[in-house]
């Protein structure tokens, strides 16, 4: 068995004394692991960093085997972010979420494409936190658990959407939800179609996506949100970006 694809490294763990098991997020083969022989060498260490883009050739005797990767660097984005701890925390959070939530060897090209957009925007703090939240929302949708944020679940109106039902994931208008505001999740304006990120929107968006990722994706398999995501939120809060 053999295939060639491009991808982003999303996880690396040591294997034996000289090798590493690397997980890639690829457009055609999804989240896919493989063994990189000599992956712990000085030459390979700068390449085998989460967030870097590579061209991969995967080979195995059978499709279900771990297989071996031959990797060639395409873009060393992780190294470029080393001097920006906030952006690096966003990259690490996205990688950790992809490893945790995506099924192995199942193609999700839309998730991969949005991941590429997110990584390319990590040098702009005014943009990437909202893109990160949209990526998590897209991840939910691609796994079959998307939220319906286009119209009010109670009235059908498409304007003045302010809340989300924590049970159904459907939007609720400001007037219809006023009586139940303490039981509903806040819907950030940029997710409701305004395009603008207002104070408090990033915190609300992260709480919103976390709610549904936990309940619909992670908890059924006894998983919890990764520490990397919590560290990202802490750094965003310290920088006054929530």
């Amino acid at each position: 068995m053999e295939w060639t694809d491009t991808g982003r490294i999303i996880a690396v763990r040591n294997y034996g004394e000289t090798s590493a098991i690397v997980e890639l997020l690829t457009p055609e083969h999804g989240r896919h692991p493989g063994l990189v022989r000599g992956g712990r060498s000085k030459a390979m260490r700068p390449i085998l960093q989460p967030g870097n883009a590579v061209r991969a050739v995967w080979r195995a005797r059978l499709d279900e085997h771990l297989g071996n990767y031959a990797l060639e660097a395409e873009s060393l984005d992780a190294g470029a972010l080393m001097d920006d701890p906030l952006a690096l925390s966003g990259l690490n959070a996205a990688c950790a979420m992809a490893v945790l939530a995506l099924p192995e060897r199942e193609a999700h090209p839309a998730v991969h494409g949005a991941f590429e957009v997110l990584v390319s925007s990590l040098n702009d703090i005014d943009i990437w936190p909202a893109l990160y939240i949209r990526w998590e929302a897209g991840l939910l949708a691609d796994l079959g658990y998307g939220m319906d944020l286009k119209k009010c679940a109670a009235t059908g109106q498409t304007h003045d959407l302010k809340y989300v039902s924590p049970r159904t994931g459907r939007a609720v208008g400001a007037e219809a939800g006023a009586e139940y505001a303490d039981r509903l999740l806040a819907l950030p304006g940029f997710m409701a179609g305004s395009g603008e990120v207002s104070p408090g929107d990033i915190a609300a968006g992260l709480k919103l996506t976390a709610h549904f990722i936990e309940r619909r994706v992670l908890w059924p398999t006894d998983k919890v949100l990764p520490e990397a995501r919590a560290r990202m939120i802490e750094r965003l809060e310290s920088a006054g970006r929530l």
Side-chain angles (χ1 to χ4, degrees):
M1 304 296 298
E2 180 176 326
W3 53 256
T4 301
D5 204 350
T6 57
R8 290 276 175 182
I9 296 173
I10 54 174
V12 180
R13 62 183 186 273
N14 293 336
Y15 184 82
E17 295 184 359
T18 61
S19 299
I21 294 176
V22 176
E23 291 196 47
L24 300 183
L25 179 59
T26 70
E28 296 182 14
H29 300 88
R31 178 175 71 86
H32 203 293
L35 179 69
V36 178
R37 299 191 183 278
R40 299 178 65 180
S41 68
K42 290 183 179 180
M44 290 300 296
R45 273 201 293 264
I47 298 173
L48 299 188
Q49 298 294 325
N52 285 343
V54 295
R55 183 168 182 80
V57 178
W58 179 84
R59 297 183 180 93
R61 192 166 64 85
L62 295 175
D63 189 55
E64 61 267 23
H65 287 178
L66 174 64
N68 294 295
Y69 270 138
L71 301 179
E72 180 181 337
E74 289 199 335
S75 178
L76 303 183
D77 295 285
L81 296 176
M82 286 299 177
D83 293 331
D84 187 345
L86 185 55
L88 190 60
S89 73
L91 176 63
N92 289 337
C95 289
M97 284 298 300
V99 171
L100 194 64
L102 286 171
E104 191 175 296
R105 308 185 189 215
E106 183 178 294
H108 288 274
V111 174
H112 173 270
F115 193 93
E116 289 294 312
V117 172
L118 173 62
V119 172
S120 69
S121 303
L122 284 171
N123 59 351
D124 191 340
I125 185 56
D126 292 326
I127 294 176
W128 76 254
L131 286 178
Y132 176 89
I133 293 167
R134 288 190 179 278
W135 178 76
E136 285 194 341
L139 175 66
L140 271 167
D142 222 50
L143 292 174
Y145 304 112
M147 296 176 282
D148 182 359
L149 307 179
K150 295 182 179 180
K151 61 181 180 180
C152 175
T155 66
Q157 72 183 43
T158 57
H159 63 279
D160 202 20
L161 302 176
K162 190 175 180 180
Y163 307 103
V164 178
S165 165
R167 184 177 63 85
T168 66
R170 299 180 66 187
V172 180
E175 185 176 350
E179 184 179 349
Y180 311 99
D182 59 334
R183 301 181 220 168
L184 299 172
L185 296 164
L187 175 60
F190 73 91
M191 296 184 74
S194 72
E196 297 182 1
V197 179
S198 301
D201 274 1
I202 299 302
L206 288 167
K207 182 179 179 179
L208 177 63
T209 53
H211 176 87
F212 291 106
I213 289 173
E214 285 182 321
R215 284 156 181 79
R216 296 181 175 180
V217 180
L218 302 182
W219 288 358
T221 54
D222 293 323
K223 297 177 182 177
V224 296
L225 290 168
E227 292 183 7
R229 190 181 190 274
R231 288 194 294 270
M232 175 190 69
I233 293 174
E234 290 174 359
R235 289 191 180 275
L236 286 170
E237 183 176 18
S238 296
R241 290 289 179 168
L242 289 182

